[in-house]
Amino acid sequence: MTNRRSFLTGAALIGAGMVTKAGAASLPEAPMQSSAATQPPLSPPNGRPYNPVVTLNGWTLPWRMKDGVKAFHLVAEPVVREIAPGMTANLWGYNGQSPGPTIEVVEGDRVRIFVTNKLPEHTSVHWHGQRLPNGMDGITGLTQPGIDPGKTFVYEFVAKNAGTFMYHPHADEMAQMAMGMMGFWITHPKDPALHAVDRDFVFLLNAYDIDPGSYTPKINTMTDFNLWTFNSRAFPGVDPMVVRRNDRVRIRAGNLTMTNHPIHLHGHSFEVTGTDGGWVRPSARWPEVTTDIAVGQMRAIEFIADEPGDWAFHCHKSHHTMNAMGHQVPTMIGVDHAGVAEKINNLVPGYMVMGDKGGAMGEMKMPLPENTLPMMSGEGPFGGIDMGGMFTTVKVREGLARNDYKDPGWYRHPKGTVASEWTGQLPPAPRAPGAPPPKPDEAMNIKRDGDMHHQH
Ligand SMILES: [Cu+2]
């Protein structure tokens, strides 16, 4: 639900010197979003037509058309973001959520963006990737003074190039981006038939370091984050991307973390059709199933969703499909520590050991501290998915309505198309040279313990 926030238009909120430029009376209202769920695409109520995008676990900012100018109002402010059911974070964002709303305009539009600062320190907004006048680039100290707390600045430029962009502060950047200040920007082509797809999903890659039991990111963390997120949501909190079979699908992602993310799609191959610099010429594209997105980059991938099913879509760095975990944990594979963890936990609350059979945490049965997420979770139709963080699914279904993005539930596999246990004769299992001898209870035990994939 988009709530309308009645907004103070008092002169006290208007940055001195900016008042005359746009006029205080023309400040559009700042719509606010209270939900972290994926909102339906916003069909343009006025202006040039375009095919709207769907922001994964996000929304598009409505605008007010005034004298042929698209006017938006962003409010930079502290927000409470649900990272996944069971965990919220005190972040900074825009208009009620982090990331902020997606801004969608059309190539050639004149755009006016009011930015009101309700943070405790100055900020600015940089329009990453845009061709614009230097003074609209949003670099505190270099191209403008910082927007002090309580002030409103206005940015205005023509969206010259169609493509995939983002916005973020260029003011105390390390702290403000670690707190979640960022958003997506799409400039649609003037001709809606150009680069047209049936479904167009967008999201940002972000990361937070929030200790279990606390709510605020540690902003000085450089690389060792413990929450890897798509649009500030961690699996199983990330919505699926629902598409109709044989749709042409575009997924655009921008990376505002501190490391690269090789993004991998199952069951299909795709082409990178756009970057933050523009569209990739068809002759320069090649098929891929994984594309690496470096820090500060955007990638648009496209494919025909011709294989029905629930297809995994995730970062291929295995530590990025995990939720809050410590990296100082010893590897305990092969060590018999039955009962030890529970005893230590009586003395040291929160103590955890990795499993002795691997990493699957089903056997741990340890209470989680307040406000955190299990490392790997998400229940699928066959049990635990053992994934967290930067993971979701592309759900390809027959015959969906054009605007139907509802989660259709789990895929029902045609009979005989699911991997299953072999129940016929087995040859004796050889052991690798040098492997430790089997424990008595392990002899011939080829099937792994089903309890390891147990609900946490
Ligand atoms: Cu990653």
Side-chain angles (χ1 to χ4, degrees), residues 205 228 230 255 257 259-263 292-293 314-321 390:
L205 300 159
W228 299 95
F230 288 165
N255 181 2
T257 72
T259 188
N260 60 313
H261 301 284
I263 297 296
D292 197 24
I293 309 182
H314 60 95
C315 175
H316 217 290
K317 288 187 175 174
S318 53
H319 284 234
H320 294 181
T321 50
M390 292 174 158

Side-chain angles (χ1 to χ4, degrees), residues 14 151 185 191 253 288 296 345 365 443 450:
I14 311 298
K151 301 291 186 189
W185 178 301
D191 174 3
E288 291 193 286
N345 203 47
K365 297 190 183 74

